[in-house]
Amino acid sequence: MADQLVIEFDKALRTLFAPAPTTREVPGSKHPEAELSDDERTHASALMRINHVGEVCAQALYQGQAIACQNPDLRLALQQAASEETEHLAWTERRLVELRGRKSLLNPLWYLGALAIGIGAGKLGDPWSLGFLAETERQVEAHLDTHLSDLPGQDVKSRAIVEQMRSDEASHAATAVRLGARELPTAARMTMRLASRIMTRTAYYV
């Protein structure tokens, strides 16, 4: 138990404070930097900060669900998805630097909240945990669609990252359904959308 706590604490520290690793090429890295006005750069940076927060939360959610999961095969699937989300974390972090932006000051709070939610979802059993995962990924995919509309058209580097992230999130949702995800009640889906709206509006500024 002590060893497991150390491992999980190390994961949290790496997510929050260490540069995230990536094995895939950063989408859009071969494109030249776009000419952006100060307002466009600020807006693009804020959107990428929201996406970075989303990836911090994804790490915590997957970690929490894996902690509570009793099925070894499902735990492995969650860990593999978390590994891919780590790449998203790296991509958004790098893009924030390029846009001269910053991470959310509330990242530790976002992480702890998402970790608690992930553990709670996992405690409900695998079908509900997978249902929560699938719905989360669907809502993230829709959220990324909105960002593709909101990002400056000439900011091809940010857009390439968001497009690849959207594709990956759709794949994660499909995997959850394939593994036996149960459809969440309407009230639960609406609550998740409300919580996401609060997070995104806060992370845009803080």
Side-chain angles (χ1 to χ4, degrees):
M1 178 63 71
D3 288 345
Q4 188 63 36
L5 287 174
V6 170
I7 291 171
E8 300 304 334
F9 186 64
D10 180 68
K11 289 179 181 178
L13 291 179
R14 289 178 183 275
T15 298
L16 293 171
F17 302 113
T22 179
T23 57
R24 288 190 288 176
E25 182 179 14
V26 179
S29 59
K30 295 181 179 179
H31 292 300
E33 191 64 60
E35 291 291 335
L36 300 173
S37 68
D38 288 343
D39 287 345
E40 288 173 332
R41 186 177 299 278
T42 298
H43 181 56
S45 175
L47 294 180
M48 294 309 290
R49 178 165 54 251
I50 291 172
N51 291 330
H52 183 267
V53 167
E55 297 308 322
V56 168
C57 290
Q59 288 296 309
L61 283 169
Y62 279 117
Q63 183 182 358
Q65 288 178 288
I67 289 172
C69 181
Q70 300 299 315
N71 183 326
D73 292 335
L74 177 54
R75 188 183 303 115
L76 179 60
L78 290 168
Q79 291 169 345
Q80 289 174 338
S83 177
E84 195 164 81
E85 297 287 358
T86 301
E87 296 187 319
H88 298 174
L89 191 69
W91 300 346
T92 53
E93 183 177 299
R94 172 171 169 171
R95 189 60 188 144
L96 274 172
V97 172
E98 293 172 346
L99 290 167
R100 300 194 294 274
R102 58 166 177 79
K103 302 176 187 178
S104 172
L105 300 176
L106 301 178
N107 272 346
L109 179 63
W110 303 129
Y111 187 93
L112 289 174
L115 180 66
I117 292 171
I119 293 174
K123 292 291 187 182
L124 295 175
D126 292 346
W128 288 115
S129 181
L130 287 167
F132 177 80
L133 173 58
E135 181 60 26
T136 298
E137 299 292 18
R138 291 189 195 106
Q139 292 191 19
V140 171
E141 184 183 359
H143 157 82
L144 293 174
D145 277 333
T146 300
H147 278 200
L148 285 174
S149 299
D150 290 348
L151 280 166
Q154 70 273 31
D155 187 3
V156 292
K157 293 174 76 73
S158 295
R159 297 178 69 84
I161 290 172
V162 172
E163 285 172 353
Q164 184 59 56
M165 288 170 56
R166 180 183 60 175
S167 175
D168 291 343
E169 307 299 1
S171 176
H172 294 166
T175 298
V177 171
R178 177 176 55 81
L179 291 174
R182 182 173 294 178
E183 189 73 17
L184 296 186
T186 300
R189 297 197 302 271
M190 294 301 293
T191 300
M192 291 171 65
R193 290 193 184 97
L194 177 61
S196 175
R197 191 173 299 119
I198 293 171
M199 183 273 284
T200 55
R201 289 182 178 178
T202 303
Y204 186 92
Y205 299 102
V206 184

